[in-house]
Amino acid sequence: MNKFMYLLCIIMLIGALPSTASAQPALMPMPAKVQMLAGKTQLNAELGVYISKQQQALLTPLVLNSTFAQQFTRLDWRDVKNAQLQISISQSAAPLPYLGMDESYEIVIADNTVKLTSNNQYGMLRGLASLSQLLFSAEQPRELTNLTITDAPTYPWRGLLFDGVRHFLPIADVKRTLRGLASAKFNVFHWHLTDDQGWRIELTSYPKLHQHASDGLYYSQAEIKEVVAYAAKLGIRVVPEFDVPGHASSIVLAYPELGSGTTLTQIERRWGVFKPLLDPSNPKVYQFIDEVVAELAGLFPDPYLHIGGDEVDDSDWQKNTKIQAFMAAKKLADSHALHAYFNQRVAKILATHNKQMIGWDEVLHPSLPKNTLVQSWRGHHSLSDITSAGHDGLLSSGFYIDQPQWTSYHYRNHPIQPTQAIVAAKNIVGKVEFTLTRLKGSAVVGDVTIFSNQQGKLYGKVSIAGKGSFITENVNRVAERYQLQIDTWMGPTKLTISVDKASNEAAMIGNTPYKFTAAVIDNPSVKQLNQALTEQQHRKKTANVLGGEATAWAELITSDNLDTRIWPRLYAIAERFWSPASLTDERDMYKRLAVMDNFADQQLGLLHQQQFIKRLKQQPAVTSTDLNALLTFTQLIEPVHYYTLHHLAFLRGDYHQQAPLNKLVDVLPVESLALKQFDYSVADYQQQCGSQQLATLQNQLLRWQQVLNDNRQLFLTINEWQASYLAIMTALKNKDKLNKTQAIEINNGVIAQVINSINLLKQARLSCSH
């Protein structure tokens, strides 16, 4: 069985797609500047390499193997005249990567040689990453199109949060992920090491932490030092997270005297936010932090240390009379002030160990030391507050890759939002207040205002409680309703409302329907709307944003599905952090992403394809023919978006550390690249209405239908996919009936996404028939 069979349809579709960047190479992240030159350069199977003798140590076996494994028979050191790859580095930088390091490089491919020039070894690493991708996507083995690349990153901080707590992820997973990050030009590995469900660091100062709060699953000090050295050779900083004062169940379990009231007798197995907090009034807490930070400083040389600071449930603080008396004595008005007091003291402790503090949104307070870096998980409105208060900021909202979401959503997300034209309202079409009901947690509430500007163009302003406001020009009138599309922290969000009566059409969060009700608000004020628009559009631009981090929280991630949740999407997020903000062509991005999907598997040995194939093979009595059919079917479905898989697990009682993640949906690719390309082809047909285009699309549906017909019994035996299979078969049988639509429903965490594609084709046919 060819394990790349399931990409066959994607490759066929991509080959037929035009692209605005068709002359550009398939690189991710795309360099700042690429100039194509005439001619080709053929590299030998045994590549001759030149670099000065003083700098040869920079090209460690790790660097060469992680870059060029499987691309050359071997690499030989040569003199400059006989080397096809000539590397020139101005000077060696510090051996440990650092914030603001120069990562620029230039590649010139011409005259049968490749010249890579950089100011230091970190630029060299980024250039080698681009060269490896060029070699992989070459039409002929080791044949490169002549070109010049001039490149440097947009943001100095480009990271991935790696959660090794919720489910322990061994060192092999860590190193493999680091190799992938290096290939995508990331430079920060944010290692989440402590949380309610475990303490994953071996410490000599407080040994009960790893002895009693880890199930024996923790990283030894030797392993941590090994990872730090391994990452440094790849140009990646390792920043640890030591979460205080909340998410502290594991600390309170091991050392209950440090807590604020709630005690534990066993490790917390559930997912969520829990009561155990450290006690800010207890001097022993600060001694504990001081000694832990001292030991962490010896393991992690990077000057930054993340202290978490998020999701503090202050119930124990409110009930504890000793803490309340402490607050009164210190004139701390509320829990937010107490938290700020705690953070000030922690920052001073970090400073004594030459560490600079990072915290999540909740640490923001007027008294927070200005050199604290604040990471936003709440959104751009929070990031604006962070930078307006004088802090450097990082953005993670919109880059949560533990959630299944379309890559295009991440790609539209910018750490610094592009400047938009000022929007002012002339007329208000209507206003509603809404409630979006989630499967777990409180409902999302807010209001929507539909308005037009002086030119009569429609806009929508969506305000969501606790999340700020969003302005969108993506507003369409459909019959007596209005459809708005906006990107929220939940994902790409489509709302359908009526402005003259109550409405209850489901909201779509990506591919997933959510219960939605809206009621009309009478007599909205144009004056008040314009005042709100003015305030929102004149908020301080987030100029001191250092970059961002994708997050791989591990409630639903284990070693068996880690890679399927990270790759290949992370290449597109890497592009958002590295490449110019002007690079926004989603269609071209998807074309290159399909190449990166194979590059990550074949060149780097990342396991996203293998993990998926392995799970399919574990189905009872699956033959090679069955496997081909299963792979074809997976092109037609997607896992539900946002946190729906988490919420479904909660509803069935499986939202905890010991719940098995052995379902097909747990490894199902988060996005069907085949359907994405199919939908682009439908859009082309709707513009051009070509009969051959229509025939090609219909033939593709017939091929899918044939596979499903031929393997009916197989799909009916797979409980997870049975309902989706039946829904897809119904939709395919009605594919020619323009007046028929098929509802999209959640079936065991799976969405029959091809139904949306069929409906798009129906609409396109109807449009072309008119």
Side-chain angles (χ1 to χ4, degrees):
M1 164 62 194
N2 184 344
K3 68 180 179 180
F4 312 121
M5 180 76 180
Y6 80 104
L7 283 177
L8 212 51
C9 175
I10 305 171
I11 295 168
M12 292 171 61
L13 284 165
I14 290 172
L17 290 175
S19 170
T20 57
S22 58
Q24 298 293 304
L27 296 174
M28 291 192 86
M30 181 59 73
K33 183 179 180 181
V34 179
Q35 181 182 1
M36 306 306 296
L37 304 175
K40 304 279 187 178
T41 288
Q42 181 68 52
L43 298 181
N44 299 327
E46 293 186 0
L47 182 64
V49 181
Y50 171 78
I51 187 172
S52 69
K53 289 184 178 180
Q54 298 94 320
Q55 295 172 334
Q56 284 183 8
L58 300 175
L59 280 174
T60 65
L62 168 62
V63 170
L64 294 174
N65 291 337
S66 64
T67 304
F68 295 127
Q70 303 178 29
Q71 289 180 326
F72 296 98
T73 304
R74 64 175 182 164
L75 297 109
D76 289 334
W77 300 113
R78 303 283 180 87
D79 59 65
V80 68
K81 293 181 180 179
N82 296 310
Q84 283 190 292
L85 174 58
Q86 301 173 7
I87 301 175
S88 176
I89 301 174
S90 299
Q91 60 183 0
S92 298
L96 290 174
Y98 52 92
L99 178 63
M101 59 191 177
D102 188 344
E103 298 173 89
S104 63
Y105 68 92
E106 182 180 72
I107 294 175
V108 178
I109 303 175
D111 301 325
N112 213 37
T113 62
V114 176
K115 295 181 179 179
L116 169 57
T117 305
S118 63
N119 291 327
N120 58 45
Q121 68 267 34
Y122 301 116
M124 174 196 72
L125 290 169
R126 309 311 175 218
L128 290 174
S130 289
L131 181 58
S132 181
Q133 291 184 14
L134 286 171
L135 287 162
F136 181 82
S137 59
E139 294 181 4
Q140 300 295 328
R142 294 177 295 280
E143 181 185 80
L144 298 176
T145 301
N146 292 340
L147 53 72
T148 298
I149 292 175
T150 306
D151 200 12
T154 298
Y155 296 103
W157 192 299
R158 308 178 307 280
L160 171 71
L161 179 144
F162 187 91
D163 178 4
V165 179
R166 270 51 177 266
H167 285 104
F168 181 72
L169 299 169
I171 292 298
D173 292 339
V174 173
K175 287 185 173 181
R176 186 176 67 256
T177 301
L178 285 167
R179 292 194 299 273
L181 292 177
S183 78
K185 301 184 176 68
F186 281 86
N187 63 6
V188 175
F189 184 75
H190 174 171
W191 207 351
H192 186 74
L193 290 163
T194 76
D195 214 300
D196 292 297
Q197 297 79 18
W199 181 279
R200 305 297 182 197
I201 320 165
E202 178 191 25
L203 293 183
T204 59
S205 54
Y206 289 84
K208 290 182 183 179
L209 289 168
H210 67 273
Q211 290 172 352
H212 300 308
S214 73
D215 292 316
L217 300 172
Y218 58 87
Y219 305 104
S220 71
Q221 294 201 3
E223 287 175 322
I224 289 172
K225 291 177 180 178
E226 179 186 358
V227 166
V228 169
Y230 190 93
K233 291 175 182 177
L234 296 172
I236 297 173
R237 300 161 48 211
V238 179
V239 176
E241 181 173 349
F242 160 41
D243 215 340
V244 289
H247 286 287
S249 297
S250 60
I251 300 173
V252 173
L253 173 65
Y255 295 93
E257 65 272 19
L258 301 178
S260 298
T262 298
T263 58
L264 298 163
T265 58
Q266 59 184 3
I267 294 175
E268 179 60 70
R269 302 295 183 187
R270 299 166 296 162
W271 309 132
V273 178
F274 303 100
K275 294 183 183 300
L277 300 176
L278 299 185
D279 179 357
S281 70
N282 185 352
K284 291 183 178 179
V285 165
Y286 301 104
Q287 179 183 349
F288 164 77
I289 292 172
D290 183 44
E291 293 179 21
V292 169
V293 170
E295 201 160 354
L296 292 178
L299 298 172
F300 298 97
D302 195 87
Y304 284 89
L305 191 151
H306 206 301
I307 57 93
D310 59 315
E311 298 181 318
V312 172
D313 180 344
D314 69 345
S315 301
D316 280 0
W317 287 353
Q318 293 291 339
K319 295 176 184 177
N320 188 309
T321 55
K322 175 174 168 287
I323 292 175
Q324 290 298 307
F326 178 83
M327 291 172 63
K330 295 289 186 181
K331 298 182 179 180
L332 301 172
D334 51 26
S335 294
H336 186 46
L338 177 62
H339 188 191
Y341 169 87
F342 174 85
N343 289 332
Q344 290 177 61
R345 292 197 60 174
V346 171
K348 290 178 181 178
I349 291 171
L350 265 61
T352 64
H353 298 285
N354 297 313
K355 294 294 182 185
Q356 190 167 335
M357 191 165 81
I358 315 174
W360 295 103
D361 303 60
E362 291 93 329
V363 304
L364 188 64
H365 188 274
S367 65
L368 185 70
K370 293 303 181 185
N371 67 343
T372 303
L373 176 59
V374 185
Q375 185 169 359
S376 172
W377 65 270
R378 292 177 172 177
H380 281 98
H381 72 291
S382 171
L383 188 61
S384 179
D385 291 340
I386 290 165
T387 56
S388 295
H391 297 275
D392 287 338
L394 297 172
L395 181 68
S396 283
S397 176
F399 300 123
Y400 270 51
I401 58 173
D402 53 310
Q403 303 175 33
Q405 289 173 326
W406 292 320
T407 309
S408 54
Y409 163 70
H410 303 302
Y411 198 62
R412 289 190 298 270
N413 194 35
H414 294 259
I416 297 178
Q417 292 177 300
T419 301
Q420 295 178 321
I422 299 297
V423 178
K426 181 180 180 181
N427 296 306
I428 294 180
V429 177
K431 184 175 182 178
V432 302
E433 57 185 8
F434 69 81
T435 299
L436 188 155
T437 305
R438 296 185 286 186
L439 300 179
K440 178 182 182 289
S442 59
V444 176
V445 297
D447 59 69
V448 178
T449 306
I450 306 292
F451 65 94
S452 59
N453 65 1
Q454 292 288 338
Q455 291 74 39
K457 180 176 175 58
L458 288 177
Y459 289 87
K461 178 177 179 290
V462 181
S463 298
I464 300 177
K467 293 294 183 178
S469 296
F470 308 81
I471 303 171
T472 178
E473 60 182 27
N474 198 342
V475 181
N476 294 302
R477 184 170 182 176
V478 181
E480 299 303 316
R481 301 166 300 158
Y482 291 87
Q483 288 185 341
L484 304 87
Q485 302 225 22
I486 56 173
D487 286 337
T488 69
W489 82 100
M490 297 179 288
T493 303
K494 183 169 75 172
L495 307 178
T496 303
I497 65 170
S498 172
V499 297
D500 53 18
K501 60 181 179 180
S503 49
N504 60 2
E505 184 170 333
M508 294 299 296
I509 308 299
N511 63 19
T512 307
Y514 271 80
K515 183 180 178 181
F516 179 84
T517 58
V520 176
I521 296 176
D522 294 327
N523 304 316
S525 166
V526 173
K527 181 178 180 180
Q528 290 179 354
L529 172 61
N530 276 320
Q531 182 178 351
L533 290 172
T534 299
E535 290 175 356
Q536 180 175 346
Q537 293 171 116
H538 284 85
R539 296 193 75 172
K540 179 181 176 182
K541 290 298 179 182
T542 51
N544 48 327
V545 174
L546 299 183
E549 288 186 356
T551 62
W553 300 107
E555 288 93 340
L556 300 186
I557 290 177
T558 68
S559 289
D560 293 332
N561 71 343
L562 169 67
D563 293 38
T564 69
R565 289 298 174 257
I566 296 179
W567 309 106
R569 275 189 298 167
L570 208 53
Y571 283 104
I573 296 175
E575 187 156 294
R576 194 73 293 132
F577 294 160
W578 177 280
S579 304
S582 58
L583 197 67
T584 58
D585 187 340
E586 292 179 18
R587 185 164 180 167
D588 182 65
M589 178 273 289
Y590 273 114
K591 187 173 182 177
R592 290 179 286 119
L593 188 69
V595 177
M596 290 300 103
D597 196 350
N598 274 337
F599 170 80
D601 176 274
Q602 297 174 36
Q603 173 64 21
L604 298 179
L606 303 183
L607 301 181
H608 55 296
Q609 294 185 14
Q610 296 179 39
Q611 288 173 345
F612 179 48
I613 298 292
K614 180 180 178 181
R615 184 65 56 85
L616 290 180
K617 288 180 176 179
Q618 291 170 346
Q619 297 302 299
V622 169
T623 67
S624 59
T625 301
D626 293 336
L627 190 56
N628 287 340
L630 291 174
L631 288 169
T632 297
F633 187 73
T634 63
Q635 296 174 352
L636 311 181
I637 59 177
E638 293 176 346
V640 287
H641 279 188
Y642 179 47
Y643 273 131
T644 311
L645 286 175
H646 293 68
H647 297 167
L648 290 172
F650 173 79
L651 293 175
R652 65 174 181 264
D654 285 341
Y655 202 52
H656 56 84
Q657 194 177 54
Q658 295 169 318
L661 295 174
N662 57 0
K663 300 179 181 64
L664 289 166
V665 72
D666 294 323
V667 295
L668 182 65
V670 299
E671 178 173 32
S672 171
L673 297 181
L675 286 182
K676 180 62 67 175
Q677 301 301 345
F678 183 89
D679 293 347
Y680 280 135
S681 295
V682 170
D684 288 344
Y685 162 65
Q686 189 163 12
Q687 284 189 341
Q688 301 162 21
C689 296
S691 58
Q692 185 56 51
Q693 291 172 304
L694 178 59
T696 299
L697 290 164
Q698 289 177 319
N699 286 338
Q700 180 59 67
L701 292 181
L702 286 172
R703 285 193 293 270
W704 281 329
Q705 187 174 359
Q706 187 65 51
V707 171
L708 269 58
N709 275 327
D710 292 346
N711 296 274
R712 177 179 177 84
Q713 196 57 44
L714 169 67
F715 293 118
L716 289 178
T717 62
I718 300 177
N719 291 332
E720 280 188 69
W721 289 352
Q722 186 181 107
S724 293
Y725 169 77
L726 294 172
I728 290 171
M729 287 300 294
T730 300
L732 286 169
K733 289 176 181 177
N734 292 322
K735 63 183 177 297
D736 296 322
K737 299 178 182 179
L738 297 180
N739 61 337
K740 289 279 186 179
T741 58
Q742 181 76 20
I744 295 179
E745 297 179 355
I746 301 172
N747 295 309
N748 296 307
V750 172
I751 288 289
Q753 185 62 11
V754 72
I755 295 174
N756 180 70
S757 300
I758 292 170
N759 289 336
L760 289 176
L761 182 54
K762 289 180 182 181
Q763 294 164 13
R765 287 183 62 191
L766 184 62
S767 174
C768 285
S769 68
H770 291 166

